[in-house]
């Protein structure tokens, strides 16, 4: 039996895809022909009619037929799970008199096929129950079959009746969105979404809190299944994020018993996936932050903290209605998103700041740069060229329609348009950025060592960056010794704000073909991959080395200083597409200073951090895991915005995490 890592690598192989197509053709001859025509509805019909159904013996039904590979490119979103909880599928159809265009016809056809699939699942469950020799045998082999049959019968024309059934419906819709080729599928605000069903079950005596916890833990384990199949760039990169907590329209902190239960269950399960984003505000009770820190202390990387006091006003300024802004969730890792109402795909391009620096050094006449202001002005002109490249990519992107996602996306039913045509209530687009910290450090080094101390000329800067420090061995240590980015002296934050304000100014008039605006943030996943492709920068970073991770600085002796730096950054206008403070914490520090750490995070968020995540791990453990991976199969680390098993990561990511941990512990590599 292949391991998850082997399955993930197998999934990416070209010969595997050919094998998948062959097996798919054997099951559903019309599927590949329809896929070549980008005919979503025919593909979906073939899927629902011919896919293999696996019901298993667990509490929930959740399965994939990996041989049906759709060609959609829809990602970084969360469907409207409420639409399948509060009513049956039949309530979602367009009436005959309202079915006025092709979208409506496709919409109804997909719903009919979804009903077809629920019938097949019911038949399969019934057959499984009938094959057992007697009732006792049936209870052993499939203890939940009768309940499951009722769930899938009711899904056609009734609301979910229980907390357990609500969990199953979320799993069913989640499964089908993944199955139709979308990826990085979010889970939305599960504590708010599920609370009415949980509360009703408690009131009627159907379950108690302990039993609810058992249901949640099995739900989490079920979602964790097939994570090799769901993973995008790296194993564990699934985007399966659940949002907890929040802020109501009056500014009060909003949470319930499920908020705490989900935090506790994720902590207890210690899985790499799914993950939590915990929304915070100034009124969040301390005991909830304590519960969050207990989760972080396990090393799973959950929860990430997201600051409503900063994010909600930014969303409203951007044109999001207040009631929707207060209900925001996130897409994939951390990018604010209006779940179930927004088709805003937030990782559609990446702006690499250092490329503008390289262009300036390689193509511009350096003799004209006689002052730091002139350097900065020329850099911004080169940065504009990089921004325009991103905009061009965004403008020319094409996506398959996805009628299933459109059914469960607010706005599409009313507008009678697919999400790819702008049918959702919100359809903006997001980009990530990397290398900002390296450019800030490089420019400040130019100011100091070229124009103030005159230790180097601009031609020296060019030779250092293009030549990868050849002939300048002393420059690596000198330039890296001033890691300005993250320090609380004001200069780095001011320059970072200036550069980001320029990106805002350049992109403020951009619109996609369907009218979406552009948003961006500091945090991005490409700090290692993009770093591998870029020349050296004037901050001690050599060619091919990673960029600075998000908002971080392992050289600092104080977490407070990094948070003060983050609080000084300007997240206004369209600069809210993910801005994460990322730091390493040793388990011993967390254990010895638990209360102080809770206070640190509370004050950091109150002081103006946009978002924050931690990696609670020690360098000695990482080193041992590298040397003896078989002894650490379940060691979890936080990568860019997801958690993963350390031994399943590529060596380059393992090395970077080890290096960062050693720096934070003041150890030499």
């Amino acid at each position: 039996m292949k391991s998850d890592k082997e399955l993930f690598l197998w999934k990416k192989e070209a010969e595997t895809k050919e094998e998948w197509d062959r097996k798919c053709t054997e099951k559903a001859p019309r599927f590949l022909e329809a896929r070549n025509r980008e005919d979503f509805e025919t593909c979906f019909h073939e899927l629902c009619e011919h896919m293999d159904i696996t019901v298993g013996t667990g509490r929930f039904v959740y399965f994939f037929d990996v041989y049906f590979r759709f060609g959609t490119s829809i990602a970084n979103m969360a469907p409207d799970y409420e639409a399948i909880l509060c009513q049956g599928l039949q309530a979602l159809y367009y009436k005959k008199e309202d079915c006025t265009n092709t979208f409506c016809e496709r919409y109804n056809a997909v719903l009919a096929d979804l009903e077809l699939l629920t019938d097949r699942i019911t038949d399969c469950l019934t057959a499984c129950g009938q094959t057992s020799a007697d009732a006792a045998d049936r209870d052993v082999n499939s203890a939940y079959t009768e309940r499951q049959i009722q769930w899938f019968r009711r899904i056609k024309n009734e609301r979910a009746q229980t907390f357990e059934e609500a969990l199953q419906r979320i799993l069913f819709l989640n499964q089908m969105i993944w199955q139709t080729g979308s990826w990085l599928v979010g889970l939305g605000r599960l504590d708010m979404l599920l609370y009415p069903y949980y509360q009703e079950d408690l009131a009627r005596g159907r379950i108690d809190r302990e039993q609810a916890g058992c249901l949640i833990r099995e739900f989490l384990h079920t979602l964790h299944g097939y994570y090799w199949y769901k993973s995008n760039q790296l194993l564990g990169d699934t985007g399966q994020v659940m949002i907890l907590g929040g802020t109501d329209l009056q500014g009060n902190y909003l949470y319930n018993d499920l908020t705490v239960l989900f935090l506790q269950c994720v902590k207890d399960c210690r899985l790499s996936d799914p993950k939590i984003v915990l929304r915070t505000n100034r009124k969040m009770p301390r005991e909830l932050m304590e519960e969050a820190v207990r989760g972080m202390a396990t090393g799973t990387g959950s929860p990430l903290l997201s600051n409503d006091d900063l994010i909600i006003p930014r969303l409203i300024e951007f044109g999001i209605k207040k009631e929707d802004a207060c209900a925001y969730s996130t897409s994939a890792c951390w990018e604010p998103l209006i779940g179930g109402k927004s088709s805003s795909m937030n990782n559609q391009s990446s702006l690499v700041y250092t490329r503008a620096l390289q262009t300036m050094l390689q193509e511009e006449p350096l003799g004209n740069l006689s002052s730091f202001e002139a350097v900065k002005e020329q850099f911004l002109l080169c940065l504009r060229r990089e921004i325009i490249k991103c905009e061009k990519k965004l403008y020319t992107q094409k996506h398959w329609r996805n009628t299933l996602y459109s059914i469960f996306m607010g706005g599409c039913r009313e507008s009678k348009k697919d999400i790819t045509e702008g049918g959702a209530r919100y359809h903006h687009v997001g980009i990530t950025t990397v290398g900002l910290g390296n450019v800030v450090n490089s420019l400040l080094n130019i100011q100091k060592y070229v124009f103030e101390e005159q230790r180097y000329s601009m031609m020296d800067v060019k030779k250092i960056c293009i030549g990868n420090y050849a002939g300048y061995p002393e420059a690596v240590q000198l330039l890296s010794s001033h890691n300005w980015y993250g320090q609380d002296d004001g200069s780095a934050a001011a320059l970072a704000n200036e550069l980001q304000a320029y990106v805002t100014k350049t992109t403020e008039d951009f619109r996609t073909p369907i009218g979406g605006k552009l948003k961006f943030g500091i945090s991005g996943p490409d700090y290692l991959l993009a770093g591998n492709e870029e020349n050296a920068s004037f901050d001690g970073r050599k060619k091919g080395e990673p960029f600075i991770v998000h908002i971080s600085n392992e050289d600092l002796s104080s977490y407070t200083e990094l948070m003060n730096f983050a609080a000084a950054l300007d997240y206004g206008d369209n600069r809210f597409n993910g801005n994460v403070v990322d730091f390493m914490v040793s388990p011993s520090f967390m254990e010895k200073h638990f209360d102080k750490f809770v206070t640190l995070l509370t004050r950091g968020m109150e002081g103006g951090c946009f978002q924050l995540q931690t990696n609670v791990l020690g360098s000695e453990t990482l080193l041992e895991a590298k040397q003896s991976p078989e002894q650490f199969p379940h060691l979890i680390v936080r990568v860019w915005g997801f958690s993963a098993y350390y031994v399943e990561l590529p060596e380059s990511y393992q090395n970077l995490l080890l290096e960062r941990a050693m720096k934070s512990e003041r150890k030499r590599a």
Side-chain angles (χ1 to χ4, degrees):
M1 182 177 176
K2 288 184 173 71
S3 68
D4 288 309
K5 185 174 184 178
E6 289 170 330
L7 286 168
F8 173 68
L9 296 174
W10 174 72
K11 180 188 76 168
K12 287 180 167 289
E13 294 174 356
E15 56 267 29
T16 300
K17 293 173 183 176
E18 293 175 1
E19 179 185 352
W20 287 11
D21 286 350
R22 179 179 59 79
K23 290 191 176 182
C24 181
T25 302
E26 292 173 359
K27 295 180 183 185
R30 297 175 59 210
F31 183 86
L32 291 185
E33 179 187 344
R35 193 180 72 185
N36 292 336
R37 298 196 312 267
E38 298 186 3
D39 181 352
F40 178 90
E41 293 71 34
T42 301
C43 285
F44 190 75
H45 176 77
E46 292 291 290
L47 169 73
C48 292
E49 190 171 59
H50 299 290
M51 70 185 298
D52 290 339
I53 295 172
T54 308
V55 296
T57 58
R59 185 184 301 272
F60 298 115
V61 176
Y62 192 73
F63 60 91
F64 292 95
D65 188 332
V66 300
Y67 297 109
F68 284 87
R69 295 188 306 109
F70 281 65
T72 57
S73 55
I74 304 298
N76 299 98
M77 300 189 305
D80 178 12
Y81 293 103
E82 175 66 17
I84 203 171
L85 293 183
C86 66
Q87 61 198 341
L89 295 174
Q90 292 176 357
L92 296 171
Y93 282 88
Y94 284 110
K95 295 179 181 178
K96 185 176 181 180
E97 59 270 24
D98 295 327
C99 199
T100 57
N101 65 10
T102 303
F103 171 79
C104 300
E105 295 169 359
R106 292 168 175 165
Y107 177 107
N108 281 357
V110 168
L111 274 173
D113 286 324
L114 204 55
E115 286 197 73
L116 167 66
L117 179 60
T118 63
D119 286 338
R120 290 188 61 214
I121 293 172
T122 302
D123 291 343
C124 187
L125 287 165
T126 303
C128 286
Q130 292 172 347
T131 56
S132 297
D134 53 42
D137 221 13
R138 184 170 63 248
D139 288 341
V140 171
N141 293 327
S142 185
Y144 314 109
T145 300
E146 290 303 321
R147 218 160 44 243
Q148 291 169 343
I149 289 171
Q150 293 305 315
W151 292 342
F152 281 94
R153 283 177 178 166
R154 275 199 296 265
I155 202 171
K156 285 189 172 186
N157 52 29
E158 296 181 51
R159 70 182 288 272
Q161 300 296 311
T162 66
F163 180 63
E164 185 181 26
E165 185 176 356
L167 290 171
Q168 174 64 77
R169 290 203 185 186
I170 288 172
L171 288 170
F172 177 64
L173 177 55
N174 176 272
Q175 160 197 331
M176 293 309 297
I177 296 291
W178 280 105
Q179 183 73 71
T180 53
S182 295
W183 70 95
L184 301 173
V185 181
L187 294 165
R189 304 180 71 199
L190 290 187
D191 54 349
M192 304 303 159
L193 184 67
L194 291 165
Y195 188 67
Y197 305 93
Y198 169 74
Q199 195 175 36
E200 184 177 341
D201 275 8
L202 289 180
R204 293 178 178 270
R206 296 186 186 124
I207 60 173
D208 57 27
R209 193 176 189 277
E210 183 178 348
Q211 290 169 325
C214 290
L215 291 173
I216 290 172
R217 285 190 288 273
E218 188 155 353
F219 174 77
L220 296 173
H221 278 280
T222 302
L223 283 168
H224 187 263
Y226 290 93
Y227 85 99
W228 65 270
Y229 171 72
K230 299 174 183 177
S231 296
N232 188 26
Q233 292 188 46
L234 297 176
L235 190 57
D237 174 24
T238 69
Q240 293 196 132
V241 176
M242 62 187 78
I243 314 302
L244 303 179
T247 301
D248 66 16
L249 291 171
Q250 290 72 44
N252 300 308
Y253 191 72
L254 195 63
Y255 77 112
N256 56 48
D257 194 37
L258 280 183
T259 313
V260 179
L261 257 181
F262 270 107
L263 284 168
Q264 292 173 340
C265 290
V266 168
K267 171 176 65 70
D268 294 342
C269 290
R270 299 199 179 195
L271 300 170
S272 65
D273 183 74
K275 300 153 284 283
I276 293 173
V277 167
L278 177 64
R279 290 174 48 179
T280 73
N281 72 17
R282 292 175 181 272
K283 297 180 180 179
M284 187 178 84
R286 182 179 174 88
E287 55 265 29
L288 197 59
M289 183 66 84
E290 290 173 350
E291 196 63 57
V293 173
R294 279 191 281 271
M296 294 176 190
T298 64
T300 62
S302 273
L304 177 144
L305 305 180
S306 190
N307 191 345
D308 284 6
D309 292 328
L310 288 178
I311 293 173
I312 291 175
R314 301 291 85 76
L315 292 171
I316 295 171
E317 290 171 6
F318 198 66
I320 308 297
K321 292 182 178 180
K322 185 176 181 180
E323 60 268 26
D324 292 335
C326 288
Y328 82 88
S329 57
T330 66
S331 66
C333 301
W334 46 58
E335 301 88 346
L337 172 88
I338 312 306
K341 296 180 180 178
S342 174
S343 61
S344 301
M345 291 185 280
N346 287 321
N347 292 344
Q348 295 303 287
S349 186
S350 180
L351 175 65
V352 183
Y353 281 93
T354 57
R355 288 179 187 163
L357 181 64
Q358 295 301 320
T359 299
M360 182 185 76
L361 294 175
Q362 288 179 316
E363 300 180 12
E364 303 303 325
L366 300 182
N368 295 337
L369 306 180
S370 57
S371 68
F372 179 63
E373 287 302 316
V375 168
K376 194 163 55 174
E377 182 179 347
Q378 192 62 53
F379 170 80
L380 292 176
L381 291 175
C382 294
L383 181 61
R384 180 181 180 85
R385 291 161 61 178
E386 297 301 321
I387 296 168
I388 291 172
K389 290 178 186 177
C390 287
E391 290 180 335
K392 183 177 181 180
K393 179 180 178 181
L394 296 174
Y395 194 82
T396 57
Q397 280 179 332
K398 302 293 182 184
H399 301 282
W400 263 43
R401 65 177 178 269
N402 188 314
T403 310
L404 177 67
Y405 228 140
S406 298
I407 291 171
F408 296 98
M409 186 63 67
C412 292
R413 178 180 173 81
E414 295 75 16
S415 65
K416 298 184 179 181
K417 293 193 296 186
D418 189 81
I419 51 177
T420 60
E421 299 169 343
R425 180 174 294 185
Y426 306 105
H427 41 264
H428 305 300
V429 66
I431 66 171
T432 59
T433 67
V434 290
L436 176 63
N438 300 89
V439 159
V440 166
N441 287 338
S442 296
L443 291 175
L444 290 176
N445 279 340
I446 289 173
Q447 182 180 35
K448 178 178 177 64
Y449 295 117
V450 175
F451 296 104
E452 292 177 2
E453 297 186 5
Q454 298 184 358
R455 187 174 300 200
Y456 298 107
S457 67
M458 285 303 297
M459 187 56 68
D460 290 327
V461 175
K462 177 177 181 176
K463 290 178 181 177
I464 286 171
C465 293
I466 305 304
N468 200 27
Y469 289 86
Y472 297 86
E474 82 293 342
V476 175
Q477 183 175 355
L478 176 67
L479 298 177
S480 60
S481 65
H482 287 281
N483 196 351
W484 316 84
Y485 191 78
Q487 291 185 16
D488 188 18
D489 71 347
S491 58
L495 181 55
N497 287 338
E498 186 177 353
L499 300 185
Q500 289 196 98
Y502 184 82
V503 179
T504 291
K505 182 180 178 181
T506 307
T507 58
E508 61 186 357
D509 294 328
F510 173 82
R511 297 293 182 272
T512 66
I514 57 176
K517 297 186 288 186
L518 185 148
K519 49 186 174 173
F520 70 99
I522 292 176
S523 304
D526 293 331
Y527 53 79
L528 197 148
L529 293 177
N532 288 341
E533 301 172 356
E534 298 301 315
N535 285 337
S537 44
F538 199 63
D539 61 343
R541 176 192 151 272
K542 288 191 173 182
K543 182 178 181 178
E545 292 182 350
F547 293 130
I548 291 172
V549 178
H550 312 320
I551 305 171
S552 65
N553 187 340
E554 274 72 51
D555 292 338
L556 296 177
S557 59
S558 167
Y559 296 127
T560 302
E561 185 171 5
L562 180 60
M563 291 185 180
N564 289 343
F565 169 81
L569 296 175
D570 184 352
Y571 306 110
D573 298 306
N574 61 342
R575 303 190 283 276
F576 59 86
N577 199 46
N579 301 285
V580 179
V581 174
D582 183 297
F583 55 74
M584 317 291 283
V585 185
S586 70
S588 60
F589 179 91
M590 180 77 83
E591 183 179 353
K592 292 176 183 177
H593 306 287
F594 181 86
D595 287 338
K596 290 182 179 178
F597 196 72
V598 171
T599 300
L600 171 75
L601 297 190
T602 300
R603 290 179 178 172
M605 299 305 284
E606 290 175 351
C609 288
F610 193 89
Q611 293 165 318
L612 185 148
Q613 69 182 17
T614 61
N615 242 316
V616 182
L617 44 83
S619 61
E620 291 183 6
T621 302
L622 294 181
L623 191 57
E624 290 177 20
K626 276 203 69 179
Q627 296 169 344
S628 305
E630 70 284 353
Q631 296 181 25
F632 296 86
H634 304 301
L635 176 62
I636 297 173
V637 293
R638 189 78 172 178
V639 187
W640 52 70
F642 67 94
S643 299
Y645 296 111
Y646 183 72
V647 297
E648 292 181 341
L649 289 171
E651 188 176 12
S652 56
Y653 286 90
Q654 292 180 352
N655 291 341
L656 178 58
L657 285 163
L658 177 58
E659 179 185 342
R660 292 187 64 205
M662 293 184 73
K663 276 188 175 183
S664 71
E665 296 168 11
R666 305 296 177 262
K667 295 179 180 178
R668 291 186 178 182

